[in-house]
Amino acid sequence: MEIQSENACFGGVQGVYTHASKATGTDMTFGLFQPAEAQDGPVPVLWYLSGLTCTHENAMTKAGAQAWAANEGVALIFPDTSPRGEGVADDDAYDLGQGAGFYVNATENPWAPHFNMWDYVTEDLPELVFNEFALDADRQGITGHSMGGHGALTIAMTMPERFRSVSAFSPICNPTASDWGRKQLGAYLGGDNTKWVAHDASLLMKNNGFEGPMLIDTGTKDQFIDLLKPEALANAIASRRQQAIFRMQPGYDHSYFFVSSFMEDHVSFHAEALYA
C-alpha cells in the first residue's frame, strides 16, 4: 500500500492510498477518513460507494461527510467505482466500463479479467483496511449514491451479518427493469437475466430483506428518477413490511448538493446503529 496523501481533517486524518488489488488485477485507489478516536483504538466504519463516472475523490471532496463522521467518531471509506489503467477494458459511453463497474463480478469479455468490483468491495479492500488501520470490523455500515446506492443496498442485503445498517441516496432501485441496469448487467453478466436478480435491490428486498435499519432518500426533482425507479423499492419494502425510512425529498435533484444536504442525517443514522 502506498500513501498518496494524508491531511489533517476535523481533528482526524483524510488519507488517499493506492494498493495492488487481487480482485481487479490492477492498482486501486481509495480514500479513508479516520476520526480522532482512531488514535486510541478501532472505530466503527461507514462505507460510501459512489455513482457513475465517479472516482474515490467525488464524495470525499463534495459530500461534506467528514465533519459529521468526526462528530460521531466514525471512519469513512471511499472506494473507486471500477478498475482503471492500461489494459483495462472501457467503453465510449459514460455508463459502461471505467467509472461504471456497477459493483458486480463480470463474467463476460472484455470485462471479466478486471471488473470484479463486488469482490473488491466485499473482500479485497476490507482485508487491507482492517489489517492496516484502526477500524472495527464488527461495526460496519454501508451507504452510497446512485449506482453506489444500488451497490450498498445489494451488498447489505446479501451480507446482512456484516452490516448493521444501510442507507442510500437516490439509488438505482430496480436495474433489471431499467436502462440503468439492463445495459450494464447484460454486458457484465451476460444475457441470462436470472443472474441479474442478485444485483437488483427491489428483487432482493422481496426475497431477502434486511434485518437492520434502512434509510433511503431520493429527490422529487431527480432528473434520472425514471431510471432509478424508487417506487419499485418502496413497493417491495411495503410488501415485505421491512423496517425502513423511505423519503422523497421535495425539490432535490441527483447532484452532490442533494447528497450533502442530507449527509448529516445519514451519518447520524449509521452512528446510532454502529454504537448501539
Side-chain angles (χ1 to χ4, degrees), residues 199-213:
H199 300 286
D200 187 305
S202 296
L203 299 180
L204 283 174
M205 176 56 65
K206 291 178 182 178
N207 296 332
N208 297 10
F210 182 72
E211 292 185 1

Side-chain angles (χ1 to χ4, degrees), residues 29 35 63 67 98 139 149 154 173 182 184 217 221 238-239 249 255 271:
T29 300
Q98 295 187 35
R139 292 185 291 170
T154 57
C173 296
R182 288 192 298 251
Q184 295 83 0
D217 276 317
K221 298 296 185 181
S239 177
Q249 298 291 0
S255 70

Side-chain angles (χ1 to χ4, degrees), residues 79-193:
D80 202 348
T81 55
S82 78
R84 302 176 191 272
E86 185 177 354
V88 176
D90 201 6
D91 191 272
D92 291 338
Y94 75 95
D95 58 354
L96 188 68
Q98 295 187 35
F102 254 73
Y103 304 100
V104 303
N105 288 338
T107 58
E108 304 299 304
N109 288 325
W111 314 107
H114 302 293
F115 279 73
N116 296 301
M117 289 303 295
W118 181 280
D119 282 353
Y120 177 69
V121 170
T122 64
E123 296 180 13
D124 199 7
L125 187 54
E127 180 181 354
L128 174 72
V129 296
F130 289 116
N131 283 332
E132 295 289 337
F133 300 98
L135 307 176
D136 187 347
D138 292 328
R139 292 185 291 170
Q140 297 185 63
I142 189 167
T143 188
H145 174 229
S146 192
M147 179 185 73
H150 140 81
L153 291 168
T154 57
I155 289 170
M157 283 189 277
T158 304
M159 300 181 169
E161 72 287 347
R162 180 179 299 188
F163 298 100
R164 294 193 183 185
S165 52
V166 61
S167 73
F169 301 87
S170 50
I172 301 172
C173 296
N174 192 197
T176 63
S178 169
D179 288 341
W180 268 3
R182 288 192 298 251
K183 173 183 177 180
Q184 295 83 0
L185 297 177
Y188 296 142
L189 303 178
D192 180 0
N193 58 18

Side-chain angles (χ1 to χ4, degrees), residues 44-55:
V45 176
L46 178 58
W47 293 82
Y48 184 101
L49 306 186
S50 290
L52 288 166
T53 75
C54 292
T55 70

Side-chain angles (χ1 to χ4, degrees), residues 64-87:
Q66 292 91 337
W68 310 119
N71 286 346
E72 301 287 0
V74 172
L76 300 167
I77 301 175
F78 305 99
D80 202 348
T81 55
S82 78
R84 302 176 191 272
E86 185 177 354

